[in-house]
Amino acid sequence: MKATDLARVRATLWTAADKRRANSSLSVGQFRAAILGLVFLAYAENRFDEISPEIEAKASARNPSTPADYKARSVLYLPETSRLSYLVDLPEAVDLGKAVDQAIKGIEADNPELKDVLPRGYSRLDRATLIELLRLFAPLPEQLGGDAFGLIYEDFLSNFAAQEGKGGGEFFTPYSIVRLIVEILEPFQGRVLDPACGSGGMFVQCAKFVERHHEDATRRLSIFGTEKTEETVPLAKMNLALHGLSGDIRLANTYYEDPHDVVGAFDFVMANPPFNVDEVRKEQLAGDKRFPFGIPKPDNANYLWIQEFYSALAPKGRAGFVMANSAGDAGHSEKDIRKQLVESGAVDVMVAIGSNFFYTVTLPVTLWFFDKAKIGTPREDQVLFLDARHIYNQIDRAHRDFTPEQIEFLANVVRLYRGEDVETIAGSEVLLREHFPDGRYVDVAGLCKIATRAEIESQGWSLNPGRYTGSAAAVEDDGDFAVKLEELYEEFTKLSNDADILRAKVDSAVQGILGV
């Protein structure tokens, strides 16, 4: 199928499915599970139909084919009653919701690795809606190729995340942010960890990076993930399967559990962890080797995550992750941890990202990158600060992303800093010539600066890119003003809430002393 035709199919599928959700009584989350399950069934039937003639040609009455024959070809065995083509043709008198749930059970019976992964509860959909959805997805196995189903799955994850807002951001990180992290990390091969993996988008983009460089991701990458939300783990496992990947995804709370024994074990770590989490039971973390620089005193888990990512790296490992802007300038015990991180020589690149890139927060964020391989090299004493707040593509008034050209350009700034060859497949050569006409790295005001450890110390060990790069000229429009006003209001609300909590504690203490 041509790319233009596939794009049309992807857009049509979402529009059609979303209309059906509007006419159902299901929540966005319930409908999401039902839709993604049908995408998976369509993919499974597509792969089954591709391989089945070859396998059945080798079978005989004495030696019939078995599910193991399909598994040997990395294909799920589908009993007839578990195929969309069968379900869509069932007589009207049949309980269709029950039949779909039985189809899921049938797949699990022959593929036990999928137990509790595929969605259930199709009986909750009214018959008319379910029939329409089955008719929408049933033709896909014959129309599309395997790669297309992965793209469709990503489309639905993204669109559902946008509809669910903050809740959606817990399982989905916007594509352009993940792509930028991956391009800077350059995960060509090795063990990859995401200890807050959501629906597995980081892993998928790692695999696509490997494939763009003409290698086999299934041979090059070993995938390990942890996710604390039970209903999200199946999203990740289905996402991997739809992209021809497999991985070890565990249900666990990363603060207190270490199912992958992470310390020093991974070549690449990447994540978009929850920001500013409070009430972590820090007494349970005493002596945990994942936190080599100490337990931060504030009721905030940011520096627990940061140390988790650092400690999980092998001696030549790299990490890239999203973090709240406030972590770059946090004081007291967090400042002491940040100082130790800088002094370790592993802090490599800091990238400031503008507002409205995420579903969870409208505020700007910072991408942090560690590289233990630079320890002992001339770059050990250096950190690249990159301010990308003025670089974005305005999708609509409330949402932004990066274009492929912008992603490639930002990654190329890092490549120049590292002394690597640049890439221009996505068309970044114009931006490169504009900012780096000699084809080598130089500090560019408002965009990038290499700072030494001494310079960082003089800035109070701050890792805020804006402190180093200076300001870039930018024209503000009404949308920018609205963003800034929202940022100020959110900060004001946070400070007000903190003040209320402090006032209550002071009142209680004074009343206790006075015996009131």
Side-chain angles (χ1 to χ4, degrees), residues 216-247:
D216 185 343
T218 60
R219 295 178 181 273
R220 292 280 183 171
L221 301 177
S222 298
I223 291 169
F224 300 83
T226 306
E227 171 56 41
K228 71 177 179 63
T229 304
E230 187 172 3
E231 68 177 22
T232 304
V233 173
L235 296 182
K237 291 184 176 181
M238 283 195 290
N239 201 5
L240 292 180
L242 284 161
H243 287 87
L245 304 170
S246 61

Side-chain angles (χ1 to χ4, degrees), residues 342 381 451-461:
V342 174
D381 188 49
T452 65
R453 191 177 303 172
E455 289 176 290
I456 295 171
E457 181 178 8
S458 71
Q459 291 287 343
W461 302 103

Side-chain angles (χ1 to χ4, degrees), residues 13-32 34-35 125-126 128-130 132-133 136 156 160 163:
L13 279 175
W14 168 252
T15 301
D18 193 42
K19 286 181 180 178
R20 285 153 180 80
R21 186 193 70 78
N23 294 319
S24 77
S25 60
L26 299 181
S27 67
V28 176
Q30 291 172 325
F31 198 75
R32 163 168 46 88
I35 288 292
L125 275 73
D126 66 88
T129 298
L130 186 52
E132 289 180 354
L133 289 175
L136 182 64
F156 278 103
F160 279 124
Q163 287 191 345

Side-chain angles (χ1 to χ4, degrees), residues 23-67:
N23 294 319
S24 77
S25 60
L26 299 181
S27 67
V28 176
Q30 291 172 325
F31 198 75
R32 163 168 46 88
I35 288 292
L36 295 179
L38 294 180
V39 174
F40 190 90
L41 287 179
Y43 166 78
E45 186 164 343
N46 170 269
R47 295 283 290 130
F48 182 87
D49 288 346
E50 284 181 345
I51 299 299
S52 183
E54 181 181 339
I55 290 178
E56 296 305 326
K58 296 178 181 178
S60 65
R62 183 169 294 185
N63 293 298
S65 64
T66 67

Side-chain angles (χ1 to χ4, degrees), residues 48-93:
F48 182 87
D49 288 346
E50 284 181 345
I51 299 299
S52 183
E54 181 181 339
I55 290 178
E56 296 305 326
K58 296 178 181 178
S60 65
R62 183 169 294 185
N63 293 298
S65 64
T66 67
D69 296 322
Y70 287 85
K71 187 172 294 187
R73 300 292 302 275
S74 300
V75 173
L76 299 177
Y77 176 77
L78 294 185
E80 183 181 359
T81 55
S82 295
R83 302 172 196 172
L84 280 178
S85 54
Y86 169 85
L87 294 168
V88 77
D89 289 333
L90 285 174
E92 188 172 338

Side-chain angles (χ1 to χ4, degrees), residues 173 177 180-182 184-185 193-196 202 269-273 275 302-311 313 318-324 327 341 346-351 353 358 365-371 463:
T173 303
I177 293 293
L180 179 57
I181 291 174
V182 169
I184 292 175
L185 271 190
L193 171 71
D194 183 345
M202 298 281 187
V269 177
M270 51 198 312
N272 176 20
F275 298 165
N302 290 344
Y303 274 83
L304 294 176
W305 283 113
I306 291 170
Q307 290 189 78
E308 166 95 10
F309 305 143
Y310 170 87
S311 64
L313 292 178
R318 286 179 176 176
F321 53 92
V322 186
M323 186 48 60
L341 283 165
V347 180
D348 190 28
V349 181
M350 304 291 296
V351 184
I353 303 294
F358 290 82
V365 300
T366 305
L367 305 184
W368 293 45
F369 294 89
F370 297 152
D371 185 358
L463 290 177

